[in-house]
Amino acid sequence: MSKVPTAPLVSPLAATLTRLLGPRKVLSSLSERLNYRYDAIAFGETPLCVVLPESTADVVVAVKAARAAGVPIVGRGAASGLSGGAAPTEPGLVISFTRMTRLSINAVKREATAQAGVITLAVTEAAKPFGLIYPPDPASFRTSTIGGNLAENAGGPLCFKYGVTGDYVQGLEFVDADGEVHALTRDAYDLAGLLIGSEGTLGLITEARLRLTSPPKFTRTLMAHFAEVGACAEAVSAAIAAGAVPSKLEFMDRACTNAIEDYLHLGLPREAEAVLLVDTDGDDLETVEEERALVEAACRNAGGTVRRAESDAEAAQLWQARRSVSPALGRIRPQRMNEDIVVPRSVLSEVVREIRALGDASGLHLVQFGHIGDGNLHPNILFDPRTESLEAVHELAHEVARVALRHGGVLSGEHGIGSMKLAFMREAVDGGTLAALWRVKHALDPHGALNPGKVLPQELA
Amino acid sequence: MSKVPTAPLVSPLAATLTRLLGPRKVLSSLSERLNYRYDAIAFGETPLCVVLPESTADVVVAVKAARAAGVPIVGRGAASGLSGGAAPTEPGLVISFTRMTRLSINAVKREATAQAGVITLAVTEAAKPFGLIYPPDPASFRTSTIGGNLAENAGGPLCFKYGVTGDYVQGLEFVDADGEVHALTRDAYDLAGLLIGSEGTLGLITEARLRLTSPPKFTRTLMAHFAEVGACAEAVSAAIAAGAVPSKLEFMDRACTNAIEDYLHLGLPREAEAVLLVDTDGDDLETVEEERALVEAACRNAGGTVRRAESDAEAAQLWQARRSVSPALGRIRPQRMNEDIVVPRSVLSEVVREIRALGDASGLHLVQFGHIGDGNLHPNILFDPRTESLEAVHELAHEVARVALRHGGVLSGEHGIGSMKLAFMREAVDGGTLAALWRVKHALDPHGALNPGKVLPQELA
């Protein structure tokens, strides 16, 4: 059996980088490179070469070699992203940061210094002996990396109360499109803030100094369920208006709850149109209990049925439902399109209903869940690419995005724009602002070498 | 008595703007314009024309007219800035935002929407009936505006625990160098974050949506004094390492304390080399008291003498000392150069001692105070321009900046770079990063129309 390769097995770039960095840091065979074309939601082009740098100096070498070869450069963490941010749109160099895992804690400065490849969870684990935590908690925190979190400015359930990744960055180091290294603090022009969330299109973040905080002393949990989605949204708004600032406020619709129940048999209310999971936390138990009571009263006033967790074990069991959403949905269809819209809480009930109606009309399997506290919803379209039309999936996704924009919402709460939501950006951002963003892009990456095809749609002529 | 004017009394730009906006919104006479050439620290060039816009549409008209006339544009709030950010370096248009004072509170969204001219204090005053506060507290908060705070990314005593102005911005509106209006949220490329702290050099912020929070239920105060500055710095580091997160941590050196004592006769310890004022706050009185006890123990271990405030009235009296620094220093010399360095807490005692020695050797009057929790020191050089050499003042200021940089510090904690610290930027930022910042500046303000001569020193050839 013989195969005629359509391209040289080892690209000239891979040969150069192998010479410069040694074979241990370079993946050049097709079978290895194939693994680096996707993230958790999108497939992209197979890279010509993959570099596994062990230091910022290695990144510099890789960037300079790719620029000399005239190929694009895509940074990559754990590839758990949900917008296609790390999936290359053109064949080029992928820089995978998974070996850059140096991490140190400075308890006096309440600061962690983490290289890009450090797993998110490792930061909190390392901080714990000093009585400190790192609050940002994307659902992927057991696998995702700090570099990936920074590139997408990742959020999670705690971000309603505690803020997103960028809120914890004191400074960072990045390698620019020319392979120059820059160390940034967050003063004068906040170039660090600009890089955070830019998905590797303006520079490659190699290290960050992260602010740590003290964990709350007490946490209280409740679950509520509602016969109607609007009632759930109203309960949340009423609780917040009454002064509650829950640390987590998670919503799941009926389709989502039933998917989890089919999977785990936790005894969730299958008939409820909306299930709400709420944590309140703080250092004063009385205040924490008071806040939970405010949420409970708001839920009951809105017609909800409330269950308080009476122990940490019961709270953990309730939260197991929310944590199991991804595997539960994976059992229904092999693939999913995971949206990340944010809408004003005041229109949440209308938005959820409109999206439900779109899903029902489409004949596709659509579920909704999300961080309802800040109006961040994840409508998910579940599909089997072998039997269902990708065009229909994309059309439905686009319709869902339009619902968000029509109600004054935005397209990305915490997953980034990536390639997945690129087409919608033209509707979300006015032409003049898009032109301003392109001017910034050209200023820092004049040759378009960094992660092309992400975040910014091409300008209209 | 007659005077021959050397230039037309009303510039063509002023005539155009009077026609477009009406005479009520335009100041064109020399006596009026003279008032708009300075901020609280620096004198600049007299503007050709001053516009007092009442809406974003007025700002657009003014920017387009200035661009057509080919003159630079400088935005201005209350001119309480301490880095020369609002003082024009060339004759041009000044846009004074003091009439853009629309302010609304959305209690459900825990958000204030404020036009650029809203006084900082007014935000918290308007939020109070809803049980909310706006934490950023620059010393000037009774006079400074939100627009000015955003332009300089202002901080204050509370920023050690609660963050600076930019941490509270959910979205903003700005007018760009071409007079186009953009509405930004904080996703994709965080252009809003880039504008914050850019001192009007990238765009003119006209309105912002600001996050509000619940106030802490309890606050406790203590004052400590030390025979030696290093002991004070060590006490602060030890308290923080032990787990205390004070909401305010203010330091004053002996010269500063004596200036206040001469002014107000509060009974401050005149012989102490360092006085420390500390607040702890939170919702759990026990925790708040515990944190104060941690600070107290750390102060005593470091050889300090501690006084606890036993009532709110006593706390207010202790804080009166700190709030009186500016008027107290004004009695010693009519002018002062107020620096704003930030150094790692670990080197604070060395830095304070080195700066003290520089002050003593110079023969000029130098005092030091600041937000010691995050290492933000304000060495102030007090001088009388009629009798003391400005060159000597600038030389001393430069030496002080060099001490900060040599110890791994930065030049601006909360006042901005402005024109005052421009010359030092070349030492603070490496050439490659400065070039990257200039590329961003050129991308958004290609003709250099916006607040020229601020933040970024000219690139080296």
Side-chain angles (χ1 to χ4, degrees), chain B residues 338-360:
Chain B
N338 183 348
E339 298 209 56
D340 182 36
I341 59 174
V342 182
V343 297
R345 266 200 314 276
S346 54
V347 299
L348 210 47
S349 53
E350 281 163 82
V351 166
V352 170
R353 273 192 292 257
E354 285 183 32
I355 293 175
R356 176 75 271 147
L358 287 172
D360 292 346

PDB file of all heavy atoms in Angstrom, chain B residues 338-360:
ATOM      1  N   ASN B 338       3.257  67.292  42.485  1.00  0.00           N
ATOM      2  CA  ASN B 338       2.696  66.139  43.192  1.00  0.00           C
ATOM      3  C   ASN B 338       2.968  64.868  42.399  1.00  0.00           C
ATOM      4  O   ASN B 338       2.366  64.653  41.365  1.00  0.00           O
ATOM      5  CB  ASN B 338       1.193  66.372  43.366  1.00  0.00           C
ATOM      6  CG  ASN B 338       0.510  65.263  44.154  1.00  0.00           C
ATOM      7  OD1 ASN B 338       1.086  64.202  44.391  1.00  0.00           O
ATOM      8  ND2 ASN B 338      -0.709  65.525  44.567  1.00  0.00           N
ATOM      9  N   GLU B 339       3.873  64.036  42.855  1.00  0.00           N
ATOM     10  CA  GLU B 339       4.148  62.790  42.130  1.00  0.00           C
ATOM     11  C   GLU B 339       3.217  61.672  42.587  1.00  0.00           C
ATOM     12  O   GLU B 339       2.486  61.813  43.572  1.00  0.00           O
ATOM     13  CB  GLU B 339       5.618  62.412  42.293  1.00  0.00           C
ATOM     14  CG  GLU B 339       6.506  63.510  41.693  1.00  0.00           C
ATOM     15  CD  GLU B 339       7.818  62.995  41.188  1.00  0.00           C
ATOM     16  OE1 GLU B 339       7.826  62.079  40.343  1.00  0.00           O
ATOM     17  OE2 GLU B 339       8.847  63.519  41.622  1.00  0.00           O
ATOM     18  N   ASP B 340       3.259  60.574  41.882  1.00  0.00           N
ATOM     19  CA  ASP B 340       2.204  59.552  41.990  1.00  0.00           C
ATOM     20  C   ASP B 340       2.794  58.171  41.735  1.00  0.00           C
ATOM     21  O   ASP B 340       2.218  57.360  41.032  1.00  0.00           O
ATOM     22  CB  ASP B 340       1.138  59.921  40.937  1.00  0.00           C
ATOM     23  CG  ASP B 340      -0.069  58.992  40.928  1.00  0.00           C
ATOM     24  OD1 ASP B 340      -0.458  58.544  42.003  1.00  0.00           O
ATOM     25  OD2 ASP B 340      -0.601  58.750  39.825  1.00  0.00           O
ATOM     26  N   ILE B 341       3.986  57.930  42.311  1.00  0.00           N
ATOM     27  CA  ILE B 341       4.675  56.676  42.001  1.00  0.00           C
ATOM     28  C   ILE B 341       4.004  55.474  42.676  1.00  0.00           C
ATOM     29  O   ILE B 341       3.311  55.625  43.688  1.00  0.00           O
ATOM     30  CB  ILE B 341       6.160  56.740  42.426  1.00  0.00           C
ATOM     31  CG1 ILE B 341       6.287  57.004  43.935  1.00  0.00           C
ATOM     32  CG2 ILE B 341       6.884  57.828  41.638  1.00  0.00           C
ATOM     33  CD1 ILE B 341       7.707  56.945  44.458  1.00  0.00           C
ATOM     34  N   VAL B 342       4.217  54.309  42.100  1.00  0.00           N
ATOM     35  CA  VAL B 342       3.780  53.065  42.724  1.00  0.00           C
ATOM     36  C   VAL B 342       4.980  52.123  42.752  1.00  0.00           C
ATOM     37  O   VAL B 342       5.606  51.899  41.713  1.00  0.00           O
ATOM     38  CB  VAL B 342       2.633  52.389  41.949  1.00  0.00           C
ATOM     39  CG1 VAL B 342       2.181  51.112  42.664  1.00  0.00           C
ATOM     40  CG2 VAL B 342       1.468  53.333  41.774  1.00  0.00           C
ATOM     41  N   VAL B 343       5.296  51.619  43.944  1.00  0.00           N
ATOM     42  CA  VAL B 343       6.429  50.696  44.068  1.00  0.00           C
ATOM     43  C   VAL B 343       5.965  49.440  44.799  1.00  0.00           C
ATOM     44  O   VAL B 343       4.976  49.478  45.537  1.00  0.00           O
ATOM     45  CB  VAL B 343       7.609  51.340  44.840  1.00  0.00           C
ATOM     46  CG1 VAL B 343       8.153  52.540  44.069  1.00  0.00           C
ATOM     47  CG2 VAL B 343       7.195  51.748  46.241  1.00  0.00           C
ATOM     48  N   PRO B 344       6.640  48.310  44.590  1.00  0.00           N
ATOM     49  CA  PRO B 344       6.291  47.103  45.343  1.00  0.00           C
ATOM     50  C   PRO B 344       6.375  47.393  46.851  1.00  0.00           C
ATOM     51  O   PRO B 344       7.302  48.079  47.300  1.00  0.00           O
ATOM     52  CB  PRO B 344       7.368  46.095  44.925  1.00  0.00           C
ATOM     53  CG  PRO B 344       7.883  46.598  43.604  1.00  0.00           C
ATOM     54  CD  PRO B 344       7.757  48.088  43.659  1.00  0.00           C
ATOM     55  N   ARG B 345       5.414  46.871  47.609  1.00  0.00           N
ATOM     56  CA  ARG B 345       5.418  47.152  49.049  1.00  0.00           C
ATOM     57  C   ARG B 345       6.705  46.686  49.724  1.00  0.00           C
ATOM     58  O   ARG B 345       7.142  47.272  50.697  1.00  0.00           O
ATOM     59  CB  ARG B 345       4.228  46.474  49.727  1.00  0.00           C
ATOM     60  CG  ARG B 345       3.007  47.356  49.865  1.00  0.00           C
ATOM     61  CD  ARG B 345       2.082  46.827  50.947  1.00  0.00           C
ATOM     62  NE  ARG B 345       1.901  45.388  50.824  1.00  0.00           N
ATOM     63  CZ  ARG B 345       1.015  44.811  50.021  1.00  0.00           C
ATOM     64  NH1 ARG B 345       0.210  45.541  49.296  1.00  0.00           N
ATOM     65  NH2 ARG B 345       0.917  43.509  49.970  1.00  0.00           N
ATOM     66  N   SER B 346       7.313  45.648  49.140  1.00  0.00           N
ATOM     67  CA  SER B 346       8.515  45.085  49.747  1.00  0.00           C
ATOM     68  C   SER B 346       9.678  46.072  49.773  1.00  0.00           C
ATOM     69  O   SER B 346      10.596  45.928  50.577  1.00  0.00           O
ATOM     70  CB  SER B 346       8.927  43.808  49.000  1.00  0.00           C
ATOM     71  OG  SER B 346       9.045  44.096  47.614  1.00  0.00           O
ATOM     72  N   VAL B 347       9.664  47.073  48.905  1.00  0.00           N
ATOM     73  CA  VAL B 347      10.775  48.033  48.861  1.00  0.00           C
ATOM     74  C   VAL B 347      10.352  49.415  49.365  1.00  0.00           C
ATOM     75  O   VAL B 347      11.107  50.378  49.278  1.00  0.00           O
ATOM     76  CB  VAL B 347      11.348  48.178  47.425  1.00  0.00           C
ATOM     77  CG1 VAL B 347      11.900  46.853  46.932  1.00  0.00           C
ATOM     78  CG2 VAL B 347      10.295  48.701  46.462  1.00  0.00           C
ATOM     79  N   LEU B 348       9.147  49.483  49.935  1.00  0.00           N
ATOM     80  CA  LEU B 348       8.575  50.769  50.313  1.00  0.00           C
ATOM     81  C   LEU B 348       9.468  51.529  51.298  1.00  0.00           C
ATOM     82  O   LEU B 348       9.675  52.751  51.158  1.00  0.00           O
ATOM     83  CB  LEU B 348       7.198  50.520  50.945  1.00  0.00           C
ATOM     84  CG  LEU B 348       6.120  51.561  50.826  1.00  0.00           C
ATOM     85  CD1 LEU B 348       5.971  52.084  49.417  1.00  0.00           C
ATOM     86  CD2 LEU B 348       4.803  50.946  51.274  1.00  0.00           C
ATOM     87  N   SER B 349      10.009  50.820  52.296  1.00  0.00           N
ATOM     88  CA  SER B 349      10.776  51.543  53.313  1.00  0.00           C
ATOM     89  C   SER B 349      12.043  52.129  52.696  1.00  0.00           C
ATOM     90  O   SER B 349      12.384  53.284  52.950  1.00  0.00           O
ATOM     91  CB  SER B 349      11.105  50.628  54.496  1.00  0.00           C
ATOM     92  OG  SER B 349      11.723  49.456  54.033  1.00  0.00           O
ATOM     93  N   GLU B 350      12.700  51.352  51.826  1.00  0.00           N
ATOM     94  CA  GLU B 350      13.887  51.890  51.150  1.00  0.00           C
ATOM     95  C   GLU B 350      13.523  53.091  50.285  1.00  0.00           C
ATOM     96  O   GLU B 350      14.230  54.101  50.262  1.00  0.00           O
ATOM     97  CB  GLU B 350      14.477  50.849  50.199  1.00  0.00           C
ATOM     98  CG  GLU B 350      15.318  49.777  50.845  1.00  0.00           C
ATOM     99  CD  GLU B 350      15.483  48.617  49.871  1.00  0.00           C
ATOM    100  OE1 GLU B 350      16.358  48.690  48.986  1.00  0.00           O
ATOM    101  OE2 GLU B 350      14.689  47.667  50.000  1.00  0.00           O
ATOM    102  N   VAL B 351      12.421  52.968  49.543  1.00  0.00           N
ATOM    103  CA  VAL B 351      12.023  54.043  48.628  1.00  0.00           C
ATOM    104  C   VAL B 351      11.727  55.324  49.405  1.00  0.00           C
ATOM    105  O   VAL B 351      12.211  56.407  49.057  1.00  0.00           O
ATOM    106  CB  VAL B 351      10.810  53.603  47.776  1.00  0.00           C
ATOM    107  CG1 VAL B 351      10.175  54.793  47.069  1.00  0.00           C
ATOM    108  CG2 VAL B 351      11.232  52.544  46.751  1.00  0.00           C
ATOM    109  N   VAL B 352      10.951  55.203  50.479  1.00  0.00           N
ATOM    110  CA  VAL B 352      10.606  56.393  51.278  1.00  0.00           C
ATOM    111  C   VAL B 352      11.874  57.028  51.834  1.00  0.00           C
ATOM    112  O   VAL B 352      12.046  58.250  51.807  1.00  0.00           O
ATOM    113  CB  VAL B 352       9.618  56.030  52.409  1.00  0.00           C
ATOM    114  CG1 VAL B 352       9.457  57.192  53.378  1.00  0.00           C
ATOM    115  CG2 VAL B 352       8.264  55.649  51.823  1.00  0.00           C
ATOM    116  N   ARG B 353      12.807  56.200  52.331  1.00  0.00           N
ATOM    117  CA  ARG B 353      14.058  56.736  52.892  1.00  0.00           C
ATOM    118  C   ARG B 353      14.907  57.412  51.825  1.00  0.00           C
ATOM    119  O   ARG B 353      15.460  58.488  52.044  1.00  0.00           O
ATOM    120  CB  ARG B 353      14.856  55.621  53.579  1.00  0.00           C
ATOM    121  CG  ARG B 353      14.458  55.422  55.036  1.00  0.00           C
ATOM    122  CD  ARG B 353      15.453  54.534  55.764  1.00  0.00           C
ATOM    123  NE  ARG B 353      15.390  53.170  55.245  1.00  0.00           N
ATOM    124  CZ  ARG B 353      14.779  52.167  55.868  1.00  0.00           C
ATOM    125  NH1 ARG B 353      14.195  52.360  57.040  1.00  0.00           N
ATOM    126  NH2 ARG B 353      14.763  50.969  55.357  1.00  0.00           N
ATOM    127  N   GLU B 354      15.005  56.779  50.645  1.00  0.00           N
ATOM    128  CA  GLU B 354      15.826  57.380  49.583  1.00  0.00           C
ATOM    129  C   GLU B 354      15.237  58.715  49.136  1.00  0.00           C
ATOM    130  O   GLU B 354      15.965  59.682  48.882  1.00  0.00           O
ATOM    131  CB  GLU B 354      15.922  56.421  48.379  1.00  0.00           C
ATOM    132  CG  GLU B 354      16.859  55.259  48.623  1.00  0.00           C
ATOM    133  CD  GLU B 354      17.005  54.359  47.386  1.00  0.00           C
ATOM    134  OE1 GLU B 354      16.930  54.869  46.255  1.00  0.00           O
ATOM    135  OE2 GLU B 354      17.174  53.138  47.577  1.00  0.00           O
ATOM    136  N   ILE B 355      13.913  58.768  49.021  1.00  0.00           N
ATOM    137  CA  ILE B 355      13.274  60.013  48.585  1.00  0.00           C
ATOM    138  C   ILE B 355      13.441  61.097  49.660  1.00  0.00           C
ATOM    139  O   ILE B 355      13.712  62.259  49.350  1.00  0.00           O
ATOM    140  CB  ILE B 355      11.786  59.771  48.235  1.00  0.00           C
ATOM    141  CG1 ILE B 355      11.696  58.868  46.994  1.00  0.00           C
ATOM    142  CG2 ILE B 355      11.044  61.085  48.009  1.00  0.00           C
ATOM    143  CD1 ILE B 355      10.294  58.448  46.616  1.00  0.00           C
ATOM    144  N   ARG B 356      13.305  60.694  50.917  1.00  0.00           N
ATOM    145  CA  ARG B 356      13.535  61.637  52.026  1.00  0.00           C
ATOM    146  C   ARG B 356      14.942  62.236  51.917  1.00  0.00           C
ATOM    147  O   ARG B 356      15.134  63.448  52.051  1.00  0.00           O
ATOM    148  CB  ARG B 356      13.353  60.877  53.352  1.00  0.00           C
ATOM    149  CG  ARG B 356      13.621  61.627  54.634  1.00  0.00           C
ATOM    150  CD  ARG B 356      12.501  62.603  54.979  1.00  0.00           C
ATOM    151  NE  ARG B 356      12.735  63.903  54.386  1.00  0.00           N
ATOM    152  CZ  ARG B 356      11.782  64.722  53.950  1.00  0.00           C
ATOM    153  NH1 ARG B 356      10.522  64.393  54.015  1.00  0.00           N
ATOM    154  NH2 ARG B 356      12.083  65.866  53.421  1.00  0.00           N
ATOM    155  N   ALA B 357      15.920  61.378  51.669  1.00  0.00           N
ATOM    156  CA  ALA B 357      17.320  61.836  51.583  1.00  0.00           C
ATOM    157  C   ALA B 357      17.494  62.798  50.409  1.00  0.00           C
ATOM    158  O   ALA B 357      18.181  63.824  50.519  1.00  0.00           O
ATOM    159  CB  ALA B 357      18.259  60.641  51.447  1.00  0.00           C
ATOM    160  N   LEU B 358      16.855  62.487  49.289  1.00  0.00           N
ATOM    161  CA  LEU B 358      16.929  63.380  48.118  1.00  0.00           C
ATOM    162  C   LEU B 358      16.332  64.741  48.464  1.00  0.00           C
ATOM    163  O   LEU B 358      16.890  65.785  48.104  1.00  0.00           O
ATOM    164  CB  LEU B 358      16.175  62.779  46.929  1.00  0.00           C
ATOM    165  CG  LEU B 358      16.824  61.596  46.215  1.00  0.00           C
ATOM    166  CD1 LEU B 358      15.849  61.002  45.194  1.00  0.00           C
ATOM    167  CD2 LEU B 358      18.113  62.050  45.507  1.00  0.00           C
ATOM    168  N   GLY B 359      15.193  64.721  49.146  1.00  0.00           N
ATOM    169  CA  GLY B 359      14.532  65.972  49.527  1.00  0.00           C
ATOM    170  C   GLY B 359      15.420  66.798  50.434  1.00  0.00           C
ATOM    171  O   GLY B 359      15.627  68.007  50.224  1.00  0.00           O
ATOM    172  N   ASP B 360      15.989  66.136  51.446  1.00  0.00           N
ATOM    173  CA  ASP B 360      16.853  66.853  52.397  1.00  0.00           C
ATOM    174  C   ASP B 360      18.060  67.458  51.695  1.00  0.00           C
ATOM    175  O   ASP B 360      18.439  68.600  51.954  1.00  0.00           O
ATOM    176  CB  ASP B 360      17.313  65.902  53.514  1.00  0.00           C
ATOM    177  CG  ASP B 360      16.154  65.492  54.417  1.00  0.00           C
ATOM    178  OD1 ASP B 360      15.081  66.149  54.347  1.00  0.00           O
ATOM    179  OD2 ASP B 360      16.298  64.511  55.162  1.00  0.00           O
TER     180      ASP B 360
END
